């Protein structure tokens, strides 16, 4: 009744932004991501008959409050599916990724938790079933089941059974790089969950965002198939800017970027003006991820590290899907 699992984070190139069902976590649009080998979560789940409630340690600290509630209510789903309602667990998780800072800790966190819990209870889930389950912990997490380029298909059913991720291209198919530019590891003020809800409910720009996604998706998938870096990069950057634009129209308005975020965007544009193909994308936080080709590693690193306010640059390659120990 004990298992350990590891899952990598993923960076969305076409963003998931907005839910049509908040309790089942069903998205308003399909999204597409790249799993990253540089950031991951390892989680051990042990179900024990002597426990009267779940106990959750994150990076060796006991977790209480909302973060604890999110984990136990997610385990409730699994307990229900296993027909084991009164069985509680000790959960020990370690994030090799800053928590709640826009590096997708919720993606690696819930993918590792779901995988370990399902294994610990001996449930014979396929990866597709695991993706459906994981989605209900954090939407972006359903994509971390797989490595490489992954699409989350929003599905049409009300019960969510057709809303899961599928692999578009394997991690080994294409060696591209993603530099995570760290300005701040502080937790964001507006969590992804709250930010997207406010945007759907109040931003007049939201409908424009939704209209723009299908053509982005089609074009980026063609770009991935043809290994056309310019196409994949430029669509990712434009899609990111459109997602963030919706937050400016929300009520009350909000913005995930800081002044250093702008400096990095400018540095990436300057690289392009110098003939180096690099593109940025940003999730719900101030930190920036820069996509580039291996041959430009040195030039990109040098440029990003020279930006005032940059604390670290962490390079990832395409990462693999979940693994169990
Ligand atoms: P991020 O950009 O890091 O994904 P989110 O706002 O989406 O930020 O989610 C952060 C939340 O994800 C945390 O507050 C916590 O509730 C949850 N989380 C992060 N890491 C883990 C983990 N290892 N196990 C379980 N839950 C986690
Ligand atoms: C901007 O998956 O963290 O990173 O489903 O509420 O847990 P919940 O939100 P989450 O949202 C991620 C938003 C994003 C874009 C993306 O990863 O696709
Ligand atoms: Co998240």
């Amino acid at each position: 009744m004990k298992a350990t699992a590891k899952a990598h984070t993923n960076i969305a190139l076409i963003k998931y932004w907005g839910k049509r069902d908040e309790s089942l976590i069903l998205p308003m649009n399909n999204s597409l991501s790249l799993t990253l080998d540089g950031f991951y979560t390892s989680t051990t789940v042990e179900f024990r008959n002597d426990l009267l409630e779940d106990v959750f340690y994150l990076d060796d600290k006991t977790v209480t409050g909302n973060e604890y509630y999110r984990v136990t209510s997610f385990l409730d789903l699994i307990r229900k599916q296993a027909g084991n309602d009164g069985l509680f667990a000790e959960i020990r998780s370690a994030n090799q990724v800053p928590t709640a800072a826009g590096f997708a800790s919720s993606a690696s966190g819930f993918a590792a938790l779901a995988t370990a819990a399902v294994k610990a209870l001996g449930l014979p889930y396929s990866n597709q079933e695991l993706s459906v389950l994981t989605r209900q912990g954090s939407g972006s997490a359903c994509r971390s089941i797989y490595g490489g380029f992954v699409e989350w298909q929003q599905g049409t059913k009300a019960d969510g059974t057709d809303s899961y991720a599928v692999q578009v291209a394997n991690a080994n198919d294409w060696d591209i790089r993603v530099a995570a530019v760290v300005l701040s590891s502080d937790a964001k003020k507006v969590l992804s969950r709250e930010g997207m809800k406010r945007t759907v409910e109040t931003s007049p720009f939201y409908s424009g965002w939704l209209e723009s996604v299908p053509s982005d998706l089609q074009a980026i998938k063609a770009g991935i198939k043809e290994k056309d870096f310019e196409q994949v990069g430029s669509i990712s950057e434009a899609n990111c800017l459109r997602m963030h634009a919706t937050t400016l129209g929300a009520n009350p308005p909000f913005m995930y970027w800081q002044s250093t975020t702008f400096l990095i965007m400018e540095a990436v544009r300057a690289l392009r003006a110098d003939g180096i193909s690099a593109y940025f994308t940003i999730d719900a936080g101030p930190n920036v991820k820069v996509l580039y080709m291996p041959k430009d590693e040195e030039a990109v690193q040098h440029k990003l590290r020279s930006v005032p306010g940059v604390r670290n640059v962490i390079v990832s390659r395409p990462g693999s899907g979940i693994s169990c120990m």
Side-chain angles (χ1 to χ4, degrees), residues 122-180:
L123 297 168
Y125 280 23
S126 64
N127 278 347
Q128 183 176 308
E129 288 167 320
L130 203 51
S131 183
V132 167
L133 171 69
T134 302
R135 188 199 77 224
Q136 296 167 75
S138 177
S140 57
C142 78
R143 300 184 307 236
S144 276
I145 300 299
Y146 299 99
F149 291 95
V150 180
E151 181 177 7
W152 174 9
Q153 301 179 337
Q154 63 176 109
T156 54
K157 292 186 185 166
D159 67 0
T161 50
D162 62 349
S163 184
Y164 49 78
V166 295
Q167 192 179 52
V168 170
N170 199 282
N172 305 319
D173 284 0
W174 193 13
D175 186 16
I176 66 171
R177 302 285 155 86
V178 179

Side-chain angles (χ1 to χ4, degrees), residues 2 14 40 61 79 116 130 155 195 204 231 242 247 252 254 262 268 278 299:
K2 180 177 177 180
I14 306 298
Y40 57 90
K61 283 188 223 70
R79 280 188 274 262
L130 203 51
Q231 173 134 338
R242 250 182 273 113
T247 71
F254 63 106
F262 287 91
V268 171

Side-chain angles (χ1 to χ4, degrees), residues 16-152:
Y16 144 52
W17 196 241
K19 296 178 178 68
R20 65 177 198 273
D21 183 317
E22 281 173 21
S23 67
L24 284 172
I25 310 200
L26 297 175
M28 293 285 252
N29 61 274
N30 286 24
S31 54
L32 187 143
S33 60
L34 178 62
T35 302
L36 302 178
D37 78 343
F39 296 105
Y40 57 90
T41 298
S42 294
T43 301
T44 301
V45 176
E46 182 176 22
F47 288 94
R48 291 200 336 229
N49 291 314
D50 62 316
L51 292 173
L52 298 175
E53 59 182 12
D54 294 320
V55 205
F56 175 34
Y57 301 95
L58 178 56
D59 296 327
D60 287 325
K61 283 188 223 70
T62 308
V63 179
T64 55
N66 275 342
E67 291 196 328
Y68 171 80
Y69 180 72
R70 228 173 128 166
V71 163
T72 58
S73 50
F74 181 66
L75 287 183
D76 285 344
L77 289 176
I78 304 176
R79 280 188 274 262
K80 205 169 156 202
Q81 293 181 6
N84 252 331
D85 267 354
L87 188 60
F88 297 103
E90 179 182 297
I91 305 112
R92 287 189 179 271
S93 187
N95 277 346
Q96 291 299 326
V97 50
T99 302
F103 286 105
S105 68
S106 69
S108 54
F110 280 93
L113 176 64
T115 307
V118 158
K119 177 93 188 292
L121 289 175
L123 297 168
Y125 280 23
S126 64
N127 278 347
Q128 183 176 308
E129 288 167 320
L130 203 51
S131 183
V132 167
L133 171 69
T134 302
R135 188 199 77 224
Q136 296 167 75
S138 177
S140 57
C142 78
R143 300 184 307 236
S144 276
I145 300 299
Y146 299 99
F149 291 95
V150 180
E151 181 177 7
W152 174 9

Side-chain angles (χ1 to χ4, degrees), residues 98-103 182-189 258 284-287 311:
T99 302
F103 286 105
V182 185
L183 337 175
S184 161
S185 304
D186 296 348
K188 48 188 126 174
K189 289 189 195 79
Q258 295 174 2
N287 303 295
R311 292 220 234 140

Side-chain angles (χ1 to χ4, degrees), residues 258-270:
Q258 295 174 2
S259 51
T260 309
T261 313
F262 287 91
L263 295 180
I264 298 163
M265 293 193 265
E266 277 160 28
V268 171
R269 291 186 188 116

Side-chain angles (χ1 to χ4, degrees), residues 176-181 229 264 267-272 274-280 288-307 310 312-316:
I176 66 171
R177 302 285 155 86
V178 179
V181 189
F229 183 75
I264 298 163
V268 171
R269 291 186 188 116
L271 280 168
R272 286 209 292 272
D274 284 345
I276 290 163
S277 189
Y279 295 90
F280 63 79
V288 184
K289 284 90 189 172
V290 180
L291 301 162
Y292 60 95
M293 301 295 286
K295 67 177 172 56
D296 297 321
E297 176 95 37
E298 223 179 285
V300 172
Q301 285 272 336
H302 181 78
K303 185 76 176 179
L304 296 175
R305 286 183 189 275
S306 73
V307 177
V310 168
N312 200 2
V313 178
I314 303 165
V315 174
S316 279

